[in-house]
Amino acid sequence: MGDSLFQLPDELLFTTLSQTFPCRDAQIRAVATLLHPHAAPCRNLVIHGTEATGKSAITAALLQALQDDTEKDEPLLRYVIVNSIECITARHLYESTIARVAEALQWQGGATRCDSVSQMLVELSKMLKYPSYPDNFRFVLVFDGIDRQREAPITLLPALARLSEIIPRITSVFIVTSPPAGFLRTSFVPYIEFPNYTKNEFVTILNTTSLPTAPLPTTTIQETTELWNRFTGAVHDALARSASRTLPALQHACTSLWPRFTAPILAGTHAPREFSKLMVAARVHFQDESLLDPGIVAVRSYSSSSTTTTTQAQAKDNTAAQLSAPPSQANTPRKAHSTTTTPSKPKATANPLVSATTTDLSTLLPPTARLLLLASYLASHNPTRHDLVLFSTFHHGRRRRRGGLSVGMGRGGHRGAQSKHRKIARKLLGAHAFVLERMLAIFMAVRGEWDPKWLDQDSSSREMDADIEMAIATLASLRLLVKVGGAGAGGMAGDQMDRGGKWRCNVGWEVIRGLGRSMGVEVEEWLVE
């Protein structure tokens, strides 16, 4: 009997790939059958599935293994992978495809400019249709993420699917997320789905790829392995449906929670077989999804958490002492209160992880942006006619505050009988528009008092106009400041630094009060009632 026309690759190839990509043996064998020159090569193949299911990685590894396997006798398979995410236009996609095909075939004299699919077809025909190749030679074109191609014409996918009709040696592979029905406008296209991993598959992959190599202290490697197996299942049950829906996210969750989960074992309070007690001790960490979203604020270490928490407690007590003191004492420097105030006992034992992961504007914004935000709030909630009294130092050595402007004033700012109607506090009303030049004037007037360190610096080290403009741009991009009157969506249209442009503060009173107190400023003293 003669040799069979249908021949799959060596079984060792499948074994190696299955060990590298667990729980994907069926998909690996299906893709290999439809791409191998001696099996059942097809013209078009659609590989689809959700994010992080191994579509791109398995396809690239399988094609490389098939290419190495067919080179034992004669080269029967070549491939290129074009990532559509890296192509900013359709023309960029055409030129990248031609360049990579020429590189894979070591073709000289390929076109450097390609404006349409027709021109790309002509160039591919020069390299793949007319030259002589072995009878079973196949060239695989992989378009990864083609459904997210930018500036793609509506005929792009049907045109790419018909390449194999003109060049029979080509197999086009389309890796997409969720293909609509008949999106290639051609018949007899096989689809291979890469479904999301189940819980058992998640646990199997994590136990294979992310298992701790060294056992925990005072435990054996078997006890550590058993504890890790139960731990990964608990992490999947707690976070898979709500936060960690993909394999990389679940791996990151296990890596982040494992040191916190095993901390009682290292401390000697729990044994590795007391899984229920370990779960109860680490329950707060399993409920905290912020550990899965690393930000720009680093999590503090356990060694410095007690010192940091004690410092925060002392700062809070000093602020509370200033607020409860009479006005004559509240305006004195804070150093005088720090010598007579002792820190409160319960605040020093706060959870370091909770305090470390708490983020607000006082920690995310630089000092210049914080001062500008406070100045914009004053400009939005104070009438313009009171700026000279509040912020000017021409007639007196220091600025007057709320004591000189109260609800007891009559109309026009003159003292007289109290108004018959009770007025609503301005901080409870909506923000009004203000001119940018007015906010900058308030900022320059109060900066020396709100930020004493700025006065101690020499003129060369102080922030210049560029730093102020950058801070305003940051506040506008975060929509903490909104430009009104002639601005487009997001408040970024036109000249952003136009001194005559009108802006509005988009932050509430509670946030501003907390932001001011973080800098030692009582914003309420600068508001006119």
Side-chain angles (χ1 to χ4, degrees):
M1 296 180 61
D3 296 337
S4 175
L5 296 178
F6 183 85
Q7 181 181 357
L8 284 175
D10 189 4
E11 191 66 25
L12 181 60
L13 184 146
F14 294 120
T15 303
T16 304
L17 291 176
S18 298
Q19 293 177 354
T20 307
F21 303 98
C23 306
R24 283 290 183 256
D25 184 67
Q27 286 77 14
I28 292 173
R29 291 180 179 272
V31 175
T33 302
L34 297 175
L35 295 181
H36 195 273
H38 293 303
C42 60
R43 292 184 174 183
N44 297 294
L45 174 62
V46 177
I47 299 176
H48 64 98
T50 57
E51 181 184 359
T53 52
K55 305 183 298 296
S56 303
I58 291 177
T59 303
L62 177 60
L63 286 174
Q64 183 62 41
L66 293 178
Q67 178 177 302
D68 297 339
D69 182 67
T70 56
E71 283 185 352
K72 296 178 181 178
D73 300 329
E74 55 182 350
L76 295 179
L77 180 68
R78 290 290 185 270
Y79 76 96
V80 294
I81 298 178
V82 182
N83 193 348
S84 297
I85 305 299
E86 301 175 355
C87 302
I88 58 176
T89 60
R91 174 186 168 184
H92 191 188
L93 176 69
Y94 306 148
E95 295 176 355
S96 300
T97 304
I98 294 175
R100 296 185 183 184
V101 171
E103 181 181 358
L105 297 175
Q106 298 180 357
W107 185 269
Q108 301 295 332
T112 59
R113 180 181 179 88
C114 184
D115 298 324
S116 63
V117 181
S118 302
Q119 188 174 355
M120 183 182 72
L121 177 60
V122 172
E123 296 299 329
L124 291 178
S125 300
K126 294 178 182 178
M127 293 182 287
L128 292 171
K129 183 178 181 180
Y130 302 117
S132 60
Y133 290 98
D135 295 336
N136 295 329
F137 179 80
R138 305 295 299 180
F139 193 94
V140 181
L141 277 176
V142 181
F143 298 97
D144 191 2
I146 191 64
D147 54 339
R148 291 181 287 179
Q149 175 62 46
R150 288 173 285 187
E151 299 185 12
I154 193 173
T155 58
L156 175 63
L157 291 177
L160 294 178
R162 299 191 64 179
L163 289 177
S164 57
E165 297 181 6
I166 303 175
I167 308 176
R169 294 190 178 100
I170 285 183
T171 297
S172 300
V173 179
F174 303 93
I175 300 179
V176 296
T177 301
S178 179
F183 75 110
L184 295 181
R185 302 294 188 270
T186 185
S187 58
F188 305 109
V189 178
Y191 285 67
I192 298 179
E193 181 186 6
F194 280 65
N196 199 7
Y197 296 101
T198 61
K199 177 184 177 180
N200 294 332
E201 292 175 345
F202 270 124
V203 174
T204 301
I205 294 173
L206 292 175
N207 295 341
T208 305
T209 59
S210 304
L211 183 66
T213 56
L216 295 171
T218 69
T219 62
T220 62
I221 187 64
Q222 182 179 0
E223 293 177 343
T224 303
T225 303
E226 294 177 356
L227 182 63
W228 174 263
N229 294 342
R230 302 184 65 182
F231 166 75
T232 53
V235 172
H236 180 274
D237 294 338
L239 300 174
R241 293 185 178 180
S242 59
S244 301
R245 295 172 180 256
T246 62
L247 180 60
L250 196 63
Q251 288 177 336
H252 174 70
C254 293
T255 304
S256 302
L257 292 174
W258 178 250
R260 296 168 174 82
F261 180 77
T262 57
I265 300 178
L266 301 179
T269 57
H270 295 79
R273 296 186 179 274
E274 297 175 343
F275 184 77
S276 301
K277 295 183 179 179
L278 291 173
M279 285 296 300
V280 172
R283 179 175 52 186
V284 62
H285 305 311
F286 281 82
Q287 296 174 350
D288 187 10
E289 297 181 1
S290 60
L291 294 174
L292 309 180
D293 186 16
I296 61 175
V297 180
V299 179
R300 299 166 188 169
S301 59
Y302 287 94
S303 60
S304 60
S305 59
S306 58
T307 306
T308 306
T309 311
T310 305
T311 306
Q312 292 178 351
Q314 293 177 356
K316 291 181 179 178
D317 292 336
N318 294 341
T319 305
Q322 287 185 344
L323 295 177
S324 60
S328 59
Q329 298 179 6
N331 295 332
T332 58
R334 284 176 288 177
K335 295 181 180 179
H337 296 282
S338 62
T339 57
T340 59
T341 306
T342 58
S344 178
K345 55 183 181 307
K347 294 182 180 179
T349 59
N351 191 350
L353 291 176
V354 175
S355 62
T357 56
T358 302
T359 57
D360 51 7
L361 294 180
S362 61
T363 57
L364 296 179
L365 293 178
T368 303
R370 281 183 280 171
L371 291 176
L372 283 171
L373 189 58
L374 295 178
S376 67
Y377 187 85
L378 296 180
S380 289
H381 292 78
N382 279 337
T384 308
R385 63 179 181 272
H386 296 311
D387 289 349
L388 187 63
V389 180
L390 286 172
F391 308 110
S392 177
T393 58
F394 183 73
H395 295 288
H396 42 80
R398 62 180 301 157
R399 300 170 184 82
R400 299 181 63 184
R401 298 189 182 181
R402 194 180 54 178
L405 295 170
S406 62
V407 295
M409 286 191 175
R411 293 184 177 180
H414 303 287
R415 290 200 173 271
Q418 292 186 355
S419 176
K420 296 180 181 180
H421 302 284
R422 176 176 295 179
K423 296 182 178 179
I424 302 176
R426 299 191 65 88
K427 64 186 179 183
L428 302 179
L429 298 176
H432 298 277
F434 58 86
V435 182
L436 180 62
E437 187 175 7
R438 178 179 172 228
M439 183 196 72
L440 295 178
I442 295 175
F443 167 75
M444 297 305 297
V446 300
R447 182 168 191 177
E449 185 171 346
W450 288 356
D451 190 8
K453 296 180 180 179
W454 182 73
L455 293 178
D456 298 338
Q457 301 175 359
D458 54 358
S459 58
S460 60
S461 59
R462 295 177 182 175
E463 285 86 348
M464 305 300 292
D465 291 340
D467 300 307
I468 298 176
E469 294 175 2
M470 182 176 62
I472 295 176
T474 301
L475 296 176
S477 63
L478 297 175
R479 293 196 61 82
L480 301 177
L481 285 182
V482 180
K483 192 172 185 180
V484 297
M492 301 294 292
D495 186 6
Q496 186 175 351
M497 291 307 298
D498 182 15
R499 296 298 180 101
K502 290 188 177 181
W503 295 74
R504 185 177 68 250
C505 182
N506 198 27
V507 181
W509 163 246
E510 296 295 334
V511 178
I512 287 294
R513 181 174 60 179
L515 184 64
R517 288 181 178 178
S518 67
M519 303 183 67
V521 177
E522 282 296 332
V523 184
E524 195 170 6
E525 296 181 354
W526 299 86
L527 292 175
V528 177
E529 295 292 341

